[in-house]
Amino acid sequence: KTDSAGNLAELRDLLAHSDSRALDWWQAHGAGSGLAPEVQHRISAALQALDFDAAAAALRTDAPGPP
């Protein structure tokens, strides 16, 4: 779904900048992101700990991105 890909690109950008708006994004869109449940759990846990690097790493393990 292109919306998910676009949304995930936005999340990646927020995480790359350690932007606290990533938490708001995740609360609004995480459940519908299309990511595997295990990856959603890792991202949720990382964001709860405000560990943006860990959240970005979890996102990279499941979401295909630019090479």
Side-chain angles (χ1 to χ4, degrees), residues 16-54:
H17 293 94
S18 297
D19 191 323
S20 63
R21 289 178 297 173
L23 288 102
D24 295 330
W25 187 100
W26 187 251
Q27 288 179 344
H29 305 289
S33 65
L35 296 170
E38 174 186 314
V39 174
Q40 288 185 30
H41 177 73
R42 288 200 310 259
I43 293 171
S44 292
L47 287 175
Q48 286 176 0
L50 299 179
D51 189 342
F52 298 105
D53 292 335

Side-chain angles (χ1 to χ4, degrees), residues 1-16 25-26 29-36 39-40 43 55-56 58-60 62-66:
K1 192 173 175 182
T2 55
D3 287 345
S4 291
N7 285 344
L8 290 175
E10 181 181 358
L11 178 60
R12 278 191 202 99
D13 188 57
L14 293 169
L15 292 172
W25 187 100
W26 187 251
H29 305 289
S33 65
L35 296 170
V39 174
Q40 288 185 30
I43 293 171
L59 182 60
R60 283 193 300 270
D62 192 70

